[in-house]
């Protein structure tokens, strides 16, 4: 029977430079799933890749799923096992079930209780579904995680305080600039994180925002909501110097902002400081940019202190959320315990239908050859009963023999 296993590279153990090496590009995710699914011992799989974590979820009948997954991750990204092994977390069976529910509810996130991770998990699930890399066990597991997350959101206040990555990015900007509303902000990307940043910045009174994206239409959608300017990535290098704050979150596989570009921008700004926040994985901004004077470059890992300042209220709800997860998981485990019986019934049904089809074909052939129909029907019925009862009778006899063997010597001999 398949068992659940999870390999995780996440923010708790792995720094950003490790996470970006392990990340899966969105346009390569389907191929990565297919490659994993074709490995012997993998019955089903889902891959989640976000700025804070890369996780591989599998249903496996392999004797050592951890080695299987570790090798796959290392080979896929051309990383030496010795480089990445220290940053791997592995979960199996009940631990895997608890971990997935912690992830879905935001209890395992950098920002405790943040809601974006649930949407990202659902996206990963749907990509796997379209790639046809799911089976009944993973289907049920993820539906369970989604319903558990919904119950935690409904029954607790863990999501009440706004402390998402985007919110913390704006809070950090606010700590750097006394008058945030007077700054010009360049937002690079057009995903959910950038849209949330635009929303929070707008609430802080920021009037000058520029949204840059590879697809200009997507940038325009966000810009229109907040009366901002929109540009393509081909154009943004010519307006970088205007930005006091740059927040970047794209899905680019290589950095899109280099040291030379920022050096040129600083000259045009007469070395007026720039605050830069890179919340992308892989990183959008070359680390060397931090070497420049008048540049304050932060990555997603630097948000941790801001996060810690804002999660007091959510910590109070964490215990209640964990209790809900425990109760929900008990229900899932009850279903899991019935799976072997379901599989046995399905196997017996398949075998019974095969027997029926085989005997029916023979009977039809005999009728075509002119054999007596009543005789054929009686013979078919007898053969069908005998063949269908053969396996259950064999199992009953085997069980009886084993029971007698276990009780040998425990029953006193009958006195004559």
């Amino acid at each position: 029977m398949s068992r659940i296993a999870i390999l995780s590279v996440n923010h708790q153990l792995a720094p950003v430079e490790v996470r970006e090496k392990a990340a899966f590009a969105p346009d390569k995710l389907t191929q990565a799933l297919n490659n994993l699914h074709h490995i012997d011992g993998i019955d089903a799989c889902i891959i989640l890749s976000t700025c804070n974590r890369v996780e591989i979820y599998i249903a496996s009948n392999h004797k050592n799923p951890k080695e299987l997954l570790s090798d796959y991750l290392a080979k896929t990204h051309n990383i030496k096992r010795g480089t990445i092994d220290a940053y791997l977390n592995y979960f199996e069976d009940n631990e895997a079930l608890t971990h997935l529910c912690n992830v879905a509810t935001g209890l395992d996130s950098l920002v405790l209780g943040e809601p974006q991770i649930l949407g990202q998990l659902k996206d990963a699930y749907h990509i796997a579904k379209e790639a046809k890399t799911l089976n009944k066990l993973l289907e049920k597991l993820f539906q369970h995680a989604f319903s558990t997350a919904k119950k935690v959101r409904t029954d607790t206040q863990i999501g009440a305080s706004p402390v998402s990555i985007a919110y913390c990015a704006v809070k950090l900007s606010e700590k750097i600039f006394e008058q945030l509303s007077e700054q010009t902000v360049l937002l690079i990307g057009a995903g959910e994180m950038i849209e949330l940043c635009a929303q929070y910045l707008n609430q802080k009174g920021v009037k000058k925002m520029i949204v840059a994206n590879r697809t200009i239409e997507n940038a325009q959608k966000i810009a229109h909501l907040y009366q901002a300017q929109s540009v393509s990535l081909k154009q943004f290098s010519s307006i970088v110097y205007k930005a006091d704050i740059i927040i970047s979150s794209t899905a680019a596989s290589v950095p899109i902002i280099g040291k030379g570009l920022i050096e040129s921008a600083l000259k045009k700004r007469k070395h007026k400081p720039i605050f830069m926040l890179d919340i992308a994985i892989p990183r959008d901004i070359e680390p060397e940019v931090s070497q420049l004077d008048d540049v304050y470059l932060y990555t997603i890992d630097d948000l941790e202190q801001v996060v810690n300042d804002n999660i007091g209220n959510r910590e109070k709800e964490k215990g209640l959320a964990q209790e809900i997860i425990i109760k929900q998981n008990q229900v899932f485990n009850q279903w899991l315990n019935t799976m072997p019986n379901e599989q046995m019934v399905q196997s017996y049904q398949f075998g019974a239908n095969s027997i029926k089809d085989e005997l029916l074909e023979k009977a039809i052939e005999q009728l075509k050859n002119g054999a007596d129909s009543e005789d054929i029907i009686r013979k078919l019925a007898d053969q069908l009963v005998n063949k269908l009862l053969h396996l259950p009778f064999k199992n009953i006899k085997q069980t009886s023999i084993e029971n007698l063997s276990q009780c040998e010597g425990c029953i006193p001999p009958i006195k004559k």
Side-chain angles (χ1 to χ4, degrees):
M1 179 181 166
S2 289
R3 58 187 178 192
I4 303 161
I6 301 172
L7 190 74
S8 175
V9 182
N10 63 56
H11 64 93
Q12 294 180 353
L13 200 58
V16 63
E17 57 267 22
V18 173
R19 300 200 305 273
E20 66 183 0
K21 288 178 182 176
F24 290 83
D27 59 342
K28 295 181 180 178
L29 198 53
T30 298
Q31 185 59 54
L33 281 165
N34 287 327
N35 292 343
L36 178 59
H37 195 219
H38 283 107
I39 295 174
D40 188 35
I42 304 291
D43 299 325
C45 57
I46 294 175
I47 297 175
L48 171 72
S49 186
T50 74
C51 57
N52 276 327
R53 68 181 65 245
V54 173
E55 298 201 336
I56 304 174
Y57 309 89
I58 62 167
S60 174
N61 56 50
H62 195 270
K63 62 180 181 181
N64 194 343
K66 183 179 181 180
E67 280 299 303
L68 201 67
L69 290 175
S70 301
D71 282 343
Y72 167 78
L73 187 65
K75 288 176 182 176
T76 299
H77 295 297
N78 196 25
I79 308 170
K80 292 182 180 178
R81 282 286 302 271
T83 304
I84 199 170
D85 276 2
Y87 302 104
L88 299 178
N89 280 312
Y90 178 74
F91 308 91
E92 197 172 289
D93 298 330
N94 277 329
E95 287 185 356
L97 174 61
T98 300
H99 175 73
L100 176 58
C101 288
N102 285 341
V103 171
T105 54
L107 296 189
D108 197 63
S109 294
L110 172 64
V111 179
L112 180 65
E114 58 94 2
Q116 281 80 23
I117 186 62
L118 181 58
Q120 291 164 335
L121 268 175
K122 288 182 177 179
D123 288 342
Y125 164 81
H126 288 300
I127 290 169
K129 196 173 182 68
E130 288 178 10
K132 295 181 170 55
T133 63
L134 296 180
N135 67 355
K136 186 175 182 179
L137 179 56
L138 275 198
E139 282 266 10
K140 186 76 174 181
L141 174 67
F142 270 70
Q143 292 302 329
H144 165 76
F146 299 153
S147 62
T148 300
K150 182 179 179 181
K151 186 168 180 61
V152 167
R153 292 276 160 194
T154 303
D155 294 359
T156 75
Q157 294 294 309
I158 198 156
S161 305
V163 286
S164 66
I165 294 291
Y167 176 82
C168 291
V170 174
K171 288 295 288 183
L172 185 56
S173 304
E174 210 170 19
K175 288 188 174 185
I176 303 296
F177 297 96
E178 285 186 20
Q179 297 296 326
L180 192 60
S181 60
E182 296 178 5
Q183 311 307 316
T184 298
V185 182
L186 172 60
L187 299 172
I188 306 173
E192 184 179 14
M193 205 73 76
I194 289 297
E195 187 172 347
L196 281 171
C197 284
Q199 177 186 322
Y200 291 132
L201 287 164
N202 180 257
Q203 291 171 358
K204 295 293 182 181
V206 175
K207 298 292 189 295
K208 298 176 185 177
M209 280 193 283
I210 305 168
V211 184
N213 191 57
R214 194 176 304 280
T215 306
I216 185 68
E217 290 79 12
N218 292 339
Q220 288 170 343
K221 289 176 185 176
I222 298 175
H224 177 72
L225 292 172
Y226 305 104
Q227 294 75 51
Q229 180 185 349
S230 57
V231 297
S232 69
L233 282 186
K234 291 180 180 178
Q235 298 171 291
F236 96 103
S237 59
S238 63
I239 53 93
V240 167
Y241 75 94
K242 295 181 180 181
D244 304 303
I245 298 170
I246 298 175
I247 301 175
S248 190
S249 179
T250 75
S253 57
V254 295
I256 59 172
I257 299 177
K259 187 178 179 182
L261 176 62
I262 300 304
E263 279 180 320
S264 299
L266 285 170
K267 288 177 183 177
K268 288 184 180 181
R269 290 171 61 83
K270 297 180 180 178
H271 292 275
K272 183 183 175 184
I274 303 176
F275 167 67
M276 305 180 74
L277 181 57
D278 188 350
I279 54 176
I281 294 290
R283 285 173 286 186
D284 284 339
I285 304 171
E286 288 181 350
E288 291 77 12
V289 171
S290 64
Q291 298 168 5
L292 297 172
D293 292 334
D294 305 312
V295 170
Y296 301 91
L297 174 60
Y298 293 83
T299 68
I300 196 165
D301 286 354
D302 297 314
L303 292 177
E304 190 163 4
Q305 185 55 51
V306 184
V307 171
N308 291 337
D309 293 341
N310 289 277
I311 61 174
N313 291 336
R314 293 191 175 194
E315 281 288 355
K316 296 174 185 175
E317 299 294 308
K318 186 176 179 179
L320 182 58
Q322 289 172 327
E323 288 179 14
I324 292 172
I325 289 172
I326 290 170
K327 289 179 181 178
Q328 292 291 102
N329 286 355
Q330 288 172 349
V331 176
F332 180 83
N333 279 321
Q334 286 173 358
W335 172 83
L336 199 61
N337 289 335
T338 68
M339 270 199 74
N341 293 334
E342 286 184 20
Q343 291 174 339
M344 186 170 65
V345 170
Q346 288 172 358
S347 177
Y348 187 76
Q349 283 181 322
F350 179 81
N353 281 319
S354 296
I355 291 169
K356 177 203 72 175
D357 293 340
E358 180 188 348
L359 294 177
L360 193 58
E361 282 295 322
K362 288 182 180 178
I364 291 171
E365 190 64 31
Q366 289 172 337
L367 287 171
K368 286 180 180 178
N369 292 332
D372 182 67
S373 57
E374 183 177 343
D375 184 49
I376 293 301
I377 291 170
R378 289 183 183 279
K379 189 176 180 181
L380 172 65
D382 288 341
Q383 288 178 327
L384 196 57
V385 169
N386 288 336
K387 284 185 175 289
L388 290 178
L389 291 179
H390 173 71
L391 184 59
F393 280 177
K394 182 181 177 181
N395 289 337
I396 290 170
K397 287 178 181 177
Q398 182 63 34
T399 303
S400 298
I401 291 169
E402 289 174 358
N403 289 341
L404 284 171
S405 175
Q406 290 172 2
C407 288
E408 189 175 343
C410 63
I411 300 175
I414 298 172
K415 292 181 181 179
K416 292 182 180 179

